[in-house]
Amino acid sequence: MESISFARGVPAPECIPVEELADCARAAIEQGGPAVLSYGPGGGYTPLRAWIADRHGVEPERVIVANGSLQGLVFLAELLAPGKRVLVEAPTYDRPLKILARVGAEAVPVPMDDEGLDPDGLEHALREGPAPAFLYTIPTFQNPSGRTLSADRRRRVVELAAEHDLLVLEDDPYGLVRFEGEAPPSLFELSEGRIAYSSSFSKTIAPGLRVGWFVFAEELAEPQLESLADVLEAGLRSAGGPRR
C-alpha cells in the first residue's frame, strides 16, 4: 500500500495539472512575449494582480504578487514588528515564528480550542502589555492543528480588531482545498477589507510555481502602505525568498 505523507502541505503529484500548466505557460509567453519574460513591475504580473484584485473586490494597487504567501509576512514583520509583540495562535506554523524571531519580535501565543482561536484569549492578550504590531492567524484549516475558526468567532475577532485598532494578517493558503461543507466567510470579507490577507497557489495548483499574493489592509496608514509597497517591490526584485 502506498504511503501518504502528512509531513507537509503538498499536493499529491498526480493532482498537479502538468499538461494544463504547460499549455498556460505557452499561451502566456506567446501572448505576452518579452513583457512576460522580463523583470516586469515590482508588484508582479499586472494581469494577475488585476485578477486577484477583482476576486477580492479591491483596487489592483492593494495587491502584491509574492514569492509564496509568506513573503508578505516577512516584509510586514520587517516593517512593523522589530522589538514589538506579535500575536500568534498556539500552536502555529513554524515558519512565521522563525521570521518573527529573526526580526527581534516577541511572538505572543493566544490559546485555541476545537473552534479555533479563542476570542477571550485574544482580548486578554490585547489588554495585557504593550500594543502588538499585528495578529498573525490561519483561521481556515489551521496549520498545524487543522482547525477552522467558527463563523461566530470570526465576527468576534473582527470586532476586537476594530475595537483595539489591531492589524490582522489572515493567512489563507488552504481555504480552497475544502472537500465538503460550506466555507465560512474570511476575516478579510467580514472586515470589508480592513484586514490584510495572504494566500498562495502552492496548495491549489503547484508549489513549484512559487506564486502567492498579499492584499494590503485598508487600515494601514498611507505612509505605512507606501513603505510596505516599496519594501515588497524591492524584495521581489532580489533573489530567493521564503517558501509556501
Side-chain angles (χ1 to χ4, degrees), residues 93-123:
Y93 182 37
D94 64 328
R95 297 286 180 91
L97 294 178
K98 294 177 181 178
I99 291 167
L100 294 174
R102 194 182 72 208
V103 303
E106 177 192 1
V108 178
V110 178
M112 302 178 69
D113 59 24
D114 289 342
E115 289 188 65
L117 182 70
D118 178 13
D120 292 337
L122 174 60
E123 187 170 18

Side-chain angles (χ1 to χ4, degrees), residues 26-44:
R26 176 176 293 278
I29 293 173
E30 289 178 347
Q31 294 173 20
V36 173
L37 299 175
S38 298
Y39 284 111

Side-chain angles (χ1 to χ4, degrees), residues 68-232:
S69 66
L70 275 180
Q71 192 162 31
L73 171 63
V74 169
F75 296 124
L76 194 68
E78 290 178 348
L79 180 66
L80 302 179
K84 297 184 179 180
R85 303 163 74 234
V86 175
L87 306 183
V88 299
E89 294 155 332
T92 191
Y93 182 37
D94 64 328
R95 297 286 180 91
L97 294 178
K98 294 177 181 178
I99 291 167
L100 294 174
R102 194 182 72 208
V103 303
E106 177 192 1
V108 178
V110 178
M112 302 178 69
D113 59 24
D114 289 342
E115 289 188 65
L117 182 70
D118 178 13
D120 292 337
L122 174 60
E123 187 170 18
H124 177 77
L126 289 169
R127 296 187 184 281
E128 297 293 322
F134 58 89
L135 163 68
Y136 171 77
T137 177
I138 313 170
T140 304
F141 306 136
Q142 200 258 1
N143 183 348
S145 72
R147 295 162 174 159
T148 293
L149 190 64
S150 66
D152 287 343
R153 288 195 177 187
R154 288 171 187 252
R155 295 185 183 92
R156 183 57 183 149
V157 168
V158 170
E159 290 172 357
L160 286 170
E163 291 171 10
H164 293 267
D165 195 25
L166 172 67
L167 175 63
V168 178
L169 174 57
E170 177 180 15
D171 193 8
D172 185 28
Y174 307 107
L176 292 179
V177 299
R178 173 179 296 276
F179 294 141
E180 61 184 12
E182 184 176 348
S186 67
L187 299 177
F188 182 87
E189 293 167 340
L190 289 172
S191 72
E192 298 181 343
R194 296 189 304 275
I195 281 174
Y197 181 93
S198 64
S199 191
S200 170
F201 293 109
S202 294
K203 316 304 179 186
T204 55
I205 300 180
L209 290 177
R210 304 304 328 125
V211 178
W213 68 92
F214 184 85
V215 183
F216 293 129
E218 193 173 62
E219 66 184 44
L220 279 173
E222 192 65 28
Q224 290 180 323
L225 192 63
E226 292 178 358
S227 297
L228 182 55
D230 291 343
V231 173
L232 275 165

